Amino acid sequence: MAFESLSERLSQAMKNITGQGKLTEKNMNDMLKEVRMSLLEADVNYGVVKDFVARVKEKALGQEVMESLNPSQMVVKIVRDELQELLGSSDTELTLNPDGLTTVMMAGLQGTGKTTASGKIARYAKQKLKKKVLLVAADVVRPAAIDQLQTLGQQVGVDVFTLGPDVTAVETARQGLDYARENGHDLVIFDTAGRLHVDQALMDELRQMEELIHPDNILLTVDAMTGQDIVNVAKSFDDQLDITGLVVTKMDGDARGGGLLSVRSITSVPVVFVSGGEKMEDLEQFHPDRMADRILG
Ligand code: GDP
């Protein structure tokens, strides 16, 4: 199927409509149908699409068509503004502790790219924020996670703290925190365990770690490719933990940003980073305005 951008589709929908002046409700409904279809095709959550279209309709109806714009451009502008509002009005940074040690706790289901993101954020904090970073291997559930984190640490040139798979995650976190204080690190990233599904044991462990660390940042990794399910997963984590930001991974497989849009609007937690590949440099700070452009096409 040929890729048709949302703005192209709206122009197309306007082609049959002649005359200037106010958009009629009928014309508007034709255009809103295109908006709805386009978002659903991008795998945006159904409830999110419904609310979104209702808000666009409310704003658009009755508005005078400006001289310099044709009606489709006006709708595109309203859609763009709505998207921007949904995605967040400004960039979100990591929260840095001005008095010393900044802590970042990672959370997320297994396979979402949490360990990979820990390495990428370590690289980012070292290079961009000029921090002395420590990675703490507190995922003692997935057998290869500790080795993986050590390899990533080596690759990006930051220290990795581990007590091996036989010590609990909470104890590892406790000692990792002490180690960072004693060794002059100023930013610590805790890679935590995931599970294949959200379960209470996972949440209990994460909450214990939250109480122990009092993290400045709790970043939830969500996989953009999981479609509609991304919303349920993010909601479960957000209900139980004080999530401060999202890391949306595998954006290389979600060209139209449907997953990101859904999760952002349901949790109202800001997206801090997006990851678009497996390599350590494939991490970007999230810019809502650029994402709005990408969705509009
Ligand atoms: P964890 O279980 O959440 O710690 O997941 P991992 O960090 O081990 O990642 C699971 C798989 O996803 C690995 O094969 C990663 O290389 C891959 N991965 C992670 N992030 C991305 C991404 O942004 N894009 C793609 N295509 N793959 C990714």
Side-chain angles (χ1 to χ4, degrees):
M1 193 185 80
F3 184 87
E4 232 185 324
S5 74
L6 179 53
S7 17
E8 278 166 26
R9 288 171 74 142
L10 293 179
S11 311
Q12 197 62 37
M14 270 321 282
K15 277 241 164 94
N16 302 332
I17 301 164
T18 50
Q20 292 288 315
K22 277 195 172 181
L23 282 173
T24 65
E25 184 146 4
K26 160 87 178 67
N27 296 343
M28 182 56 61
N29 284 339
D30 288 346
M31 297 194 73
L32 291 175
K33 206 156 115 194
E34 293 298 323
V35 175
R36 184 180 304 115
M37 289 309 295
S38 176
L39 293 174
L40 288 174
E41 280 167 22
D43 218 5
V44 178
N45 177 275
Y46 177 74
V48 173
V49 174
K50 209 167 154 233
D51 292 349
F52 185 87
V53 171
R55 282 200 305 277
V56 171
K57 182 171 183 176
E58 197 183 317
K59 279 197 181 169
L61 272 180
Q63 279 197 29
E64 207 64 42
V65 179
M66 285 169 273
E67 284 293 299
S68 54
L69 298 174
N70 67 35
S72 68
Q73 280 170 338
M74 192 187 83
V75 176
V76 168
K77 185 178 179 307
I78 294 169
V79 169
R80 195 186 188 293
D81 291 348
E82 272 305 310
L83 277 176
Q84 176 94 48
E85 200 172 314
L86 207 63
L87 293 168
S89 52
S90 60
D91 297 357
T92 305
E93 309 279 348
L94 279 180
T95 300
L96 300 178
N97 184 340
D99 304 321
L101 197 60
T102 294
T103 46
V104 181
M105 179 174 140
M106 305 298 291
L109 287 186
Q110 193 169 310
T112 52
K114 184 167 22 62
T115 303
T116 310
S118 302
K120 290 173 174 176
I121 295 168
R123 177 182 182 271
Y124 171 89
K126 181 185 171 188
Q127 293 195 350
K128 296 264 163 57
L129 307 176
K130 310 290 177 213
K131 298 290 180 192
K132 184 176 177 193
V133 181
L134 180 69
L135 281 164
V136 175
D139 178 356
V140 295
V141 175
R142 186 163 63 87
I146 296 176
D147 287 350
Q148 189 186 345
L149 199 69
Q150 283 176 317
T151 306
L152 295 176
Q154 247 174 20
Q155 225 175 306
V156 301
V158 312
D159 299 331
V160 178
F161 180 87
T162 168
L163 295 174
D166 299 327
V167 177
T168 63
V170 177
E171 185 55 28
T172 304
R174 187 193 317 278
Q175 294 197 31
L177 206 52
D178 290 344
Y179 182 89
R181 291 202 176 102
E182 285 157 14
N183 290 276
H185 294 92
D186 43 27
L187 192 142
V188 191
I189 301 167
F190 299 86
D191 184 26
T192 64
R195 301 279 196 282
L196 290 176
H197 306 283
V198 175
D199 66 31
Q200 206 48 50
L202 168 66
M203 289 302 168
D204 289 347
E205 180 177 294
L206 291 172
R207 279 162 69 165
Q208 276 182 41
M209 288 185 61
E210 183 180 16
E211 273 171 36
L212 173 79
I213 302 167
H214 297 295
D216 301 303
N217 305 269
I218 303 183
L219 300 182
L220 177 67
T221 54
V222 285
D223 177 343
M225 302 269 284
T226 43
Q228 303 281 325
D229 205 33
I230 194 173
V231 165
N232 304 328
V233 169
K235 230 176 150 323
S236 317
F237 276 92
D238 193 36
D239 285 348
Q240 303 221 28
L241 297 169
D242 190 9
I243 305 291
T244 60
L246 299 171
V247 181
V248 184
T249 63
K250 311 194 190 179
M251 284 297 286
D252 42 325
D254 179 31
R256 303 181 74 174
L260 186 144
L261 192 65
S262 307
V263 74
R264 174 67 183 82
S265 59
I266 297 254
T267 60
S268 58
V269 174
V271 180
V272 183
F273 296 110
V274 286
S275 150
E278 297 183 81
K279 294 198 294 291
M280 285 297 100
E281 55 272 31
D282 296 331
L283 180 85
E284 282 177 30
Q285 245 194 308
F286 177 65
H287 303 293
D289 50 344
R290 288 187 210 163
M291 193 66 217
D293 287 341
R294 175 165 158 181
I295 294 170
L296 266 176

